[in-house]
Structure formats: structure tokens, C-alpha cells
Amino acid sequence: MVFSSLTFLFLFLPLVLLFYYILPSIRAKNILLLIASLVFYAWGEPVYVFLMVATALINWAFGLLMERGRKGLWCTLAVVFDLGCLIVFKYTGFLVENLNALCALSLPVPQIALPIGISFYTFQILSYVVDVKRGSVAVQRSFARFLLYVTLFPQLIAGPIVRYSDVEAELSDRTVSAQGVFYGLYRFCVGLGKKVLLADYAGSAASKMLDGTLAAQTTLGMWFGVLMFMFEIYFDFSGYSDMAIGMGRMFGFKYPENFRLPYTAKSITDFWRRWHISLSTFFRDYVYIPLGGNRRHVYLNLAVVWTLTGLWHGASWNFVLWGVYFLVLLVIERLLRKPIEHIPMVLRHAGTLLLILIGWNIFYFTDTSRLLESFRVLFGASGVGFTNHQTWILMLNSLPLAVLCAVCCTPLPRILGASLSVLCATDGHIGFRQYLFSIGMYVISIALLALSVISLTGSSFNAFLYFRF
């Protein structure tokens, strides 16, 4: 089940919300959310739901053992177990394939299905056991509450990566306000609109340019295709995060922000402070700083982090190259920080976007031969030339969408909303003007929901991109 399905929108979520608001106690609400979350996951992963529950149970037990002493030992065993599970299910085939190629072997390559969301819930569990070992959070003695933390369906499948410390207090005591519910509904509808009205259509345009025979593609068409994928992955992933944050607020949880207008960044460093914030801060706090951070072996620490960042996204060499690519860019920025600061801001922003665009091309092609061919086309060394009539037709058909996506990547929508809010709070009529503003937000939410539903009824299933990571 996915958020952008009609079953979820008109059956699952309304029923869960209805019973959640009816139930009187936090204990009853937690039981409902736990059951709903397990049903949500089992809807698409009826077998691997047992793996997730077993993983939660084992780590909960490790937490209790750490409370009794020898924290270092039990934490190490927990980390080894969690990463071992992740490696087995996500990287076994990749490791065997490369072992065969490296050693001229013919070992059978196991075909292990990837459990949905395993990269996300594994990191969430790791944050718990490491923080218990550090003493920054208390041991959760209730397995039901710990399992709820691991399985909570709004952020279970594709993040944001919610640390136990983020929701520790809310697992046992939280309140739901009308203002929070309204904000949650609005945020959910914005995320749904991002996914259905922008990401899916941008993805369709990108596929037309990038999924065919690359030798028959033009240079201009290739660049435009990567640009549309750049829009697709942002609105797809940030749309999911918006929906997760919105649903969290409906149930009384406050999840951390995962995106802050990343395509407005003025440097690659700035970009990674804005993109997938929960992942970058996870690697910072649990890998980079423990290795020494900025105190010692800085570049080695960066190399470890960005190799792991690439591998986290998938068992394929293009993801490793993608991580190394950003590693090189970040090292260059560190070494040339002073000269770069003298470059005009507009040029820095344009250069950053170009480098990000090239990075998404590496990310898109999991087949290394197609990846190399894509770069030949991008830089005019292959393909059928710079452009042709078919490329222009495809680009013109997608141009209004590209312009809309570009505008929605900027602060302009938020600026307009903030301006309306300020306008509605002037002239001494705060209550009435704020009421008008609230009505406007309701209208926007309903419009986005209606347009999304119309689009969903006439389109085929299109899962979130980060489901496969």
C-alpha cells in the first residue's frame, strides 16, 4: 500500500483517523496505530513483516541488556546484527556478482527480494541502540511502544529517518490539536500534489528521453531528460516526506524536516544541508563524528561517509560512483573555499545546479555501460547530434511542466503563503483575516486533493522512487 493510492486515501487513512480520534486513551491509540502499521506493511510485504517484527524484538532485548551493563558489547552485537540483516537482504547478490567477476568464479547469484523500507527502519533502530549505549535516551521497557516506533506507518517506507530521541516522549504522551490536524492535512495534500501532479509527470517525460536506445538520443534531449528526472526525484521524495510529516501531525507526532529547498543551494555543501536531511545528519552523528569528524583524518572520514551514502542508496556501482562524485566535489570545495567565495552568487548557484544535474545522471543509470553511453551523449560524443525535430516536440510538450516544477523548487510558493498570512493579520482584523487565510488553505488542500485523485483514477500505478532504496 502506498500513500498515493485510492485505497489508502479513501479507505485505510480515513478509517484509522476515525477510530484514532474516537479512542479515549493514549494506550488504546497506540494499539490502534501499531495494528494499522503492521497491516499497512503486510499489505505489500506479508512475509517480511515478520522480519521487521523480529528485528525490533531482538534490538529491544539488546536495549534491556545494555541497561544491565556491558553496554559496549551489547551495542556492538546489535549493530552487527542490524547491518548483517541489511547486507544479506540488500547486498548479497551484488557481492556475489562482483566476487564472480573478480575471481573468475561461477557462484550462483542469490535472488533475494528486498524488503520494503529496510534501509530506513534499520537506521532508525540503529539510532536507538547507539543512543542507549551513549546514555542520551532511556531504555524503552515496553516492547509495544518500541515496535510502534519502528513500524509507525507514516514514515515506515521511505522516511524521514526518525530517531528514537525525536519521538521518545510522544510515544507515551502526546496531544492532537485542531491546528495540528489542519496543518497535517494541508501538508499531506501538498505532498500528494508534489508526487502525483509533478513527480509522476516529470518521471514520464524523463523516461521518454532516457529509457530508450541512448545512441538514438540527441544531446539536448539527454540534458532535458536528466533535468526532468532531477525534478521527479525531488518532488517524489520530498512529497513523500511532506505526507509523512503531515500524517505524523494528525496523530500527534512531530517529525523532523527532510528537505529545505535543496535546488536553491549555492554550493554542494549547502545542497547536502538541504537534501535528505535526516540521512545526512544520521551519517554525520553516527559515522563522521565518531570517526574523528573535523578533528583528525577529515578526508578519510569523508571518504567513508560518502562511500556508505552511495551504497545505502542501492547495491549497484553507479550509486558508489555517485557517492564518490559528491565526495570529490565536497573535498574540492573544502580546499578551494576562499577562491569559491569570490565567485558571484549567481554563478555559484548555476554551477551548483549543473553539478547536481550531472550527479543525477550518475544516479539514474544502474547499468554501467548505459551510464558511460549517457555521458557520451550528454557531451556530444555519441547519439544523433545536438537536437532534432522529435526532441523539440517532446521538449515543447513538457515545457509548461518543467517551468512549473522549476517555480515550485524556489521559495516563491512559501513567500506567497507568508505574504498572505501577514496580510491577513493586519489592520486590526486579525481574527477575520486569519479566518480568510485558513479558508484559503482549505481551498488549496481540497484543490490539490481533487486534482491528485483525478490524476490517479486515470493513471497506472507509480510507486515512490525511494521504495527501492
Side-chain angles (χ1 to χ4, degrees):
M1 194 183 308
V2 295
F3 297 164
S4 56
S5 68
L6 296 178
T7 302
F8 181 85
L9 292 173
F10 292 105
L11 181 62
F12 183 84
L13 183 60
L15 285 177
V16 174
L17 286 171
L18 174 64
F19 286 108
Y20 184 84
Y21 295 141
I22 291 174
L23 292 173
S25 67
I26 195 68
R27 185 172 182 271
K29 293 178 188 291
N30 281 352
I31 293 172
L32 171 69
L33 283 181
L34 179 56
I35 294 172
S37 297
L38 293 174
V39 170
F40 175 84
Y41 192 83
W43 193 280
E45 295 282 11
V47 175
Y48 285 137
V49 69
F50 296 105
L51 171 68
M52 181 175 59
V53 173
T55 302
L57 177 61
I58 291 170
N59 281 273
W60 174 71
F62 276 128
L64 294 178
L65 290 171
M66 280 189 278
E67 188 178 34
R68 297 182 179 182
R70 307 186 72 178
K71 287 186 176 182
L73 172 63
W74 299 121
C75 180
T76 300
L77 291 175
V79 170
V80 169
F81 171 79
D82 294 332
L83 294 181
C85 288
L86 187 60
I87 290 170
V88 167
F89 285 97
K90 191 169 183 176
Y91 303 103
T92 300
F94 176 68
L95 293 172
V96 174
E97 285 178 357
N98 285 276
L99 184 63
N100 286 341
L102 185 64
C103 302
L105 300 175
S106 56
L107 298 173
V109 179
Q111 302 299 318
I112 303 175
L114 180 66
I116 294 175
I118 188 171
S119 297
F120 288 92
Y121 73 69
T122 298
F123 273 28
Q124 293 193 176
I125 291 172
L126 284 172
S127 80
Y128 168 76
V129 295
V130 173
D131 286 350
V132 168
K133 188 260 182 184
R134 292 174 174 176
S136 54
V137 299
V139 173
Q140 176 56 261
R141 290 190 175 85
S142 168
F143 176 63
R145 286 179 187 169
F146 182 72
L147 185 60
L148 177 62
Y149 158 67
V150 174
T151 63
L152 201 55
F153 74 86
Q155 44 75 47
L156 171 61
I157 303 299
I161 299 171
V162 178
R163 303 185 195 185
Y164 181 75
S165 57
D166 294 329
V167 295
E168 179 181 13
E170 294 167 348
L171 289 171
S172 56
D173 183 24
R174 59 187 181 275
T175 57
V176 178
S177 65
Q179 183 180 9
V181 173
F182 168 68
Y183 175 79
L185 287 169
Y186 170 73
R187 191 72 181 266
F188 180 87
C189 291
V190 168
L192 183 65
K194 282 183 177 182
K195 163 63 179 170
V196 176
L197 303 177
L198 297 178
D200 287 354
Y201 288 102
S204 176
S207 296
K208 292 175 183 177
M209 299 288 191
L210 304 177
D211 287 352
T213 302
L214 295 180
Q217 184 57 268
T218 65
T219 296
L220 184 60
M222 194 72 192
W223 280 104
F224 188 77
V226 179
L227 175 67
M228 297 309 291
F229 175 66
M230 180 177 174
F231 290 138
E232 178 194 11
I233 195 167
Y234 169 60
F235 288 114
D236 186 281
F237 194 15
S238 69
Y240 185 98
S241 294
D242 284 339
M243 284 186 272
I245 292 169
M247 282 189 290
R249 290 296 291 271
M250 294 181 209
F251 295 115
F253 293 93
K254 294 182 180 179
Y255 295 150
E257 293 294 334
N258 214 21
F259 291 87
R260 290 193 179 94
L261 301 174
Y263 294 154
T264 64
K266 304 302 189 296
S267 68
I268 297 300
T269 303
D270 188 27
F271 172 73
W272 280 104
R273 291 183 182 131
R274 298 168 176 269
W275 177 277
H276 203 345
I277 300 167
S278 62
L279 178 67
S280 57
T281 54
F282 180 94
F283 277 118
R284 180 197 66 198
D285 295 341
Y286 296 103
V287 180
Y288 183 71
I289 293 176
L291 286 174
N294 294 327
R295 302 187 307 276
R296 62 180 187 278
H297 312 305
V298 174
Y299 297 110
L300 176 61
N301 300 340
L302 286 172
V304 171
V305 165
W306 285 99
T307 301
L308 293 176
T309 300
L311 277 172
W312 182 88
H313 283 85
S316 177
W317 280 111
N318 72 301
F319 295 120
V320 177
L321 291 172
W322 179 75
V324 172
Y325 170 77
F326 278 106
L327 165 66
V328 172
L329 294 179
L330 290 167
V331 169
I332 291 173
E333 284 190 354
R334 277 176 169 264
L335 295 174
L336 302 178
R337 185 173 63 245
K338 293 291 185 181
I340 290 175
E341 289 175 353
H342 290 89
I343 298 175
M345 192 65 71
V346 173
L347 295 180
R348 286 168 57 188
H349 178 58
T352 299
L353 286 178
L354 177 61
L355 293 172
I356 293 170
L357 190 66
I358 293 172
W360 288 133
N361 185 71
I362 299 172
F363 193 93
Y364 187 86
F365 293 100
T366 56
D367 183 282
T368 51
S369 61
R370 283 180 62 83
L371 176 59
L372 292 173
E373 180 66 20
S374 72
F375 273 104
R376 285 195 287 268
V377 178
L378 280 174
F379 294 100
S382 183
V384 294
F386 180 74
T387 188
N388 58 22
H389 179 70
Q390 184 180 7
T391 295
W392 280 111
I393 293 298
L394 289 172
M395 287 182 59
L396 287 174
N397 288 338
S398 302
L399 189 60
L401 174 64
V403 172
L404 178 61
C405 287
V407 170
C408 290
C409 287
T410 70
L412 185 59
R414 295 185 184 182
I415 292 173
L416 290 175
S419 299
L420 286 173
S421 180
V422 172
L423 180 64
C424 290
T426 57
D427 298 335
H429 301 285
I430 296 177
F432 177 69
R433 292 181 181 272
Q434 283 291 72
Y435 174 76
L436 290 179
F437 178 68
S438 298
I439 292 296
M441 301 295 277
Y442 272 118
V443 170
I444 292 172
S445 301
I446 293 171
L448 288 173
L449 178 61
L451 291 173
S452 298
V453 170
I454 291 170
S455 179
L456 286 171
T457 55
S459 65
S460 58
F461 172 77
N462 195 354
F464 290 88
L465 291 176
Y466 265 71
F467 275 19
R468 57 190 168 106
F469 304 134

